[in-house]
Amino acid sequence: MKIKNEMANWGPRSASYWMTLLIAAGIIIIGVRFMLVPRTGAAGFGIPLSSNLDLAFGRIKGIRDIFSGLALLPLLFFRMKKATAYVFTAAIIVPATDCLLVYLNNGPIMSQLIHGITVVYMAITSYILLRDTKKTTA
């Protein structure tokens, strides 16, 4: 009954739970902003939209961000630490690629820093999640 044991040992009392929830909620909010005001979202991202024809791409990014956040919520709700750890760790590729794209497009240094800090934050959170996972399943 590893699942019951896992649920009993991880949840709202764990820092890694809240650290993961912060990223999930944050990316949902960013996605909603992209859906509602794509120009503002793109400017905040670090690569502004160049014409009205680009508005659809902003909304495409928005729905993908919303999905990324929503994908973590059931794992958190059901306290599936191991699955959360693996999905969250794999998701680091998104802000890392975003950081690189903003850099390659001569985006603002602040946007590059935000994406880079997100990578570091997610790497630390992943480390904690994976470390905690090894303790529970060992």
Side-chain angles (χ1 to χ4, degrees):
M1 300 306 288
K2 285 185 183 180
I3 292 174
K4 284 187 179 182
N5 185 30
E6 183 176 331
M7 286 183 71
N9 293 324
W10 188 72
R13 292 185 178 179
S14 171
S16 60
Y17 180 91
W18 291 104
M19 292 171 77
T20 305
L21 183 60
L22 177 66
I23 289 291
I27 200 64
I28 290 169
I29 291 167
I30 289 168
V32 168
R33 183 174 70 164
F34 261 100
M35 294 293 292
L36 299 177
V37 281
R39 286 192 186 285
T40 303
F45 178 82
I47 305 174
L49 302 178
S50 57
S51 77
N52 286 337
L53 298 174
D54 295 339
L55 292 175
F57 289 106
R59 291 190 174 104
I60 290 167
K61 182 182 179 340
I63 196 63
R64 290 175 188 214
D65 284 351
I66 292 168
F67 171 79
S68 295
L70 290 176
L72 286 168
L73 294 182
L75 302 176
L76 290 165
F77 180 76
F78 290 111
R79 297 194 244 169
M80 300 171 73
K81 182 173 36 172
K82 193 177 231 181
T84 300
Y86 293 143
V87 170
F88 195 82
T89 301
I92 293 173
I93 194 169
V94 176
T97 304
D98 290 349
C99 186
L100 180 62
L101 289 171
V102 172
Y103 171 76
L104 293 174
N105 285 280
N106 298 314
I109 190 73
M110 185 55 83
S111 296
Q112 295 172 41
L113 283 171
I114 291 169
H115 293 298
I117 290 168
T118 303
V119 170
V120 172
Y121 177 90
M122 289 181 70
I124 291 167
T125 303
S126 292
Y127 171 78
I128 295 168
L129 282 166
L130 292 168
R131 182 195 64 196
D132 290 348
T133 300
K134 289 178 183 176
K135 286 181 183 177
T136 302
T137 57

